[in-house]
Amino acid sequence: MIILIPAYKPDQSLVRFVRALREQDPDTEILIIDDGSGSTYAPIFTELRIDGVTVQAHPVNKGKGAALRTGIAWVKANRSGEVIVTADADGQHLPRDIFRVGVRTEIAAAAGQMSIILGVRTKPDPNAGEEGTKVPLRSKIGNSATVGFFALATGARVADTQTGLRGFTPQILDWLLQIPGDKYEYEFSMLLRATRADVELVQVPIVKVYEPGNPTSHFRPLQDSALIYAPLLAFLVSSFLTGFLVDAIAFFVLMGIGAPLLAAVIGARIISALTNFTVNRMLMHDGGACTSASSSLVRYTVLAVGILAVNAALMEALTGLGASLLVTKILTELILIPISFAVQRRWVFLPTQRQKNTREKTQAIATSSGLRAVSYESARMEAAGIRAGMPASQVGP
């Protein structure tokens, strides 16, 4: 197992964190990526090297996603077949939880599984006091938003989409290296793409530990949020450009060449719909298998008819309740746009084979989310048992 830690301008707490990991397991190999921290922080990385840590450095800051890919590439080239467990440099993950995720990843790797093991922060730390388990407002809002967006886009629920504690089986390292994104969006993109690439997501509950106010985070609320929500933003832009501009341009062109009004309206709608279909088919690809154009077009047509019917029904109902036409139109669009986005990602542009695999996996694990969750107690006992070299059933609480 390789513990991979991306670090940018760390303080002495990183040294203490690494030593705590070594106290838990002296033989564990630790790889730290210095993401262009600069000469001011060189003494910290020198101290880490003296402690036996492997340090790889970026000459300039590239972002967390780029640092993770650098580490993954290093492991693939130098420690082929090893599982990777990523952890944050700010010490927000307890050593015992890191090794628990590592054990679960080793189990999945031994079974030949393409898996990401997520350490989801759902358990309070009884030893940390109120401040140590209080979630900073920025983190609470951000995680709630990404959890909701992830559920909307995939139909699956992950309790903690922003967790930096993740285990990767060696079977998916090539796939991980192909995922774009150099900043924080890289971690979220891998979750979105995993649901379309037959990469299983396994959730292991871990203790949540936060610094008061989260002062060492380098997350940029506006820029990084825009990158994380890029799929939804791209869909909204596509809907505006193809649903309004293309429709309007096509309408006036058809009217200009002498087409009757009804024919111009219908022709413009067909042109804008086909343009929207083509653009969204590319946007929803996400690096997975390409969807069949014919089957996707049929599903897209069914969706378009359904959206049109619901649109008319909502407009009729809201205006009947006395709402103004402008308010009615805005409310209707606010309701239907996220529905359209979800259905297109989860059905229209989902490859047929992936739909079949998703159904089979859902039936096999008997959960509606398609994700496998590991109970806190069973994970704790299993990790303790394997580390001690004895069956988990023989491990006490």
Side-chain angles (χ1 to χ4, degrees):
M1 178 177 71
I2 309 294
I3 298 178
L4 169 60
I5 305 174
Y8 178 58
K9 297 184 177 180
D11 56 25
Q12 199 64 28
S13 65
L14 177 57
V15 177
R16 295 193 295 269
F17 176 48
V18 166
R19 289 173 180 171
L21 289 171
R22 282 285 167 75
E23 288 178 5
Q24 187 92 2
D25 187 345
D27 297 326
T28 294
E29 186 168 6
I30 300 172
L31 169 63
I32 292 181
I33 308 300
D34 171 12
D35 188 27
S37 301
S39 58
T40 303
Y41 299 87
I44 292 177
F45 293 105
T46 298
E47 190 171 356
L48 290 167
R49 288 188 176 95
I50 293 173
D51 286 348
V53 174
T54 300
V55 178
Q56 298 290 307
H58 288 166
V60 296
N61 178 248
K62 296 183 178 180
K64 188 178 183 182
L68 288 171
R69 276 201 305 275
T70 295
I72 292 168
W74 186 92
V75 173
K76 183 175 181 296
N78 297 279
R79 301 291 187 271
S80 179
E82 289 282 351
V83 304
I84 298 174
V85 177
T86 65
D88 291 339
D90 55 11
Q92 291 190 15
H93 306 128
L94 300 180
R96 65 175 180 268
D97 285 332
I98 291 173
F99 287 108
R100 181 178 296 117
V101 169
V103 169
R104 292 298 305 169
T105 310
E106 289 170 345
I107 293 171
Q113 296 173 356
M114 298 174 60
S115 301
I116 297 175
I117 314 299
L118 298 170
V120 295
R121 295 163 291 186
T122 57
K123 293 289 182 180
D125 184 358
N127 301 318
E130 183 178 352
E131 287 300 316
T133 56
K134 187 176 180 180
V135 183
L137 181 61
R138 180 174 62 178
S139 297
K140 182 182 295 185
I141 294 174
N143 195 50
S144 298
T146 53
V147 165
F149 176 42
F150 185 80
L152 177 70
T154 67
R157 179 168 178 80
V158 170
D160 186 0
T161 58
Q162 295 184 328
T163 180
L165 178 51
R166 306 180 179 204
F168 305 137
T169 59
Q171 290 85 351
I172 67 168
L173 298 191
D174 285 329
W175 174 76
L176 288 169
L177 292 172
Q178 296 171 6
I179 296 174
D182 290 341
K183 308 297 182 182
Y184 286 93
E185 79 277 10
Y186 175 77
E187 291 178 299
F188 190 68
S189 293
M190 76 170 64
L191 299 184
L192 284 177
R193 290 174 176 241
T195 61
R196 303 169 74 87
D198 286 329
V199 174
E200 184 181 24
L201 302 179
V202 179
Q203 301 182 69
V204 176
I206 64 171
V207 171
K208 54 183 176 182
V209 180
Y210 290 95
E211 300 173 288
N214 206 14
T216 61
S217 174
H218 299 288
F219 184 84
R220 304 165 303 171
L222 293 179
Q223 302 98 311
D224 291 320
S225 293
L227 292 171
I228 288 172
Y229 297 117
L232 179 58
L233 295 175
F235 176 81
L236 294 175
V237 172
S238 167
S239 297
F240 173 74
L241 292 178
T242 60
F244 174 71
L245 290 183
V246 172
D247 184 84
I249 293 171
F251 173 76
F252 286 115
V253 168
L254 290 173
M255 288 293 291
I257 62 176
L261 178 60
L262 181 60
V265 170
I266 295 174
R269 279 302 172 95
I270 292 175
I271 292 171
S272 65
L274 289 175
T275 304
N276 182 257
F277 169 81
T278 302
V279 172
N280 286 355
R281 185 166 179 257
M282 293 186 291
L283 290 177
M284 303 290 182
H285 182 214
D286 272 356
C290 290
T291 59
S292 165
S294 57
S295 61
S296 293
L297 185 57
V298 171
R299 293 195 290 263
Y300 181 87
T301 303
V302 172
L303 172 64
V305 172
I307 289 290
L308 181 61
V310 174
N311 189 308
L314 283 174
M315 294 283 288
E316 185 71 24
L318 291 173
T319 53
L321 293 173
S324 68
L325 192 59
L326 177 61
V327 171
T328 297
K329 181 62 175 174
I330 292 174
L331 289 176
T332 300
E333 294 301 323
L334 288 176
I335 293 171
L336 293 182
I337 285 177
I339 292 175
S340 178
F341 173 77
V343 174
Q344 288 189 50
R345 274 197 65 93
R346 293 155 57 177
W347 180 59
V348 174
F349 297 110
L350 189 66
T352 304
Q353 183 60 38
R354 176 59 188 155
Q355 290 184 15
K356 180 181 179 214
N357 292 344
T358 300
R359 287 194 297 268
E360 291 175 348
K361 184 179 290 186
T362 301
Q363 293 169 358
I365 63 179
T367 67
S368 61
S369 67
L371 303 178
R372 201 152 50 84
V374 180
S375 74
Y376 182 76
E377 191 65 17
S378 65
R380 182 187 69 78
M381 294 178 67
E382 184 177 66
I386 291 178
R387 287 286 162 187
M390 58 191 294
S393 60
Q394 298 179 18
V395 180

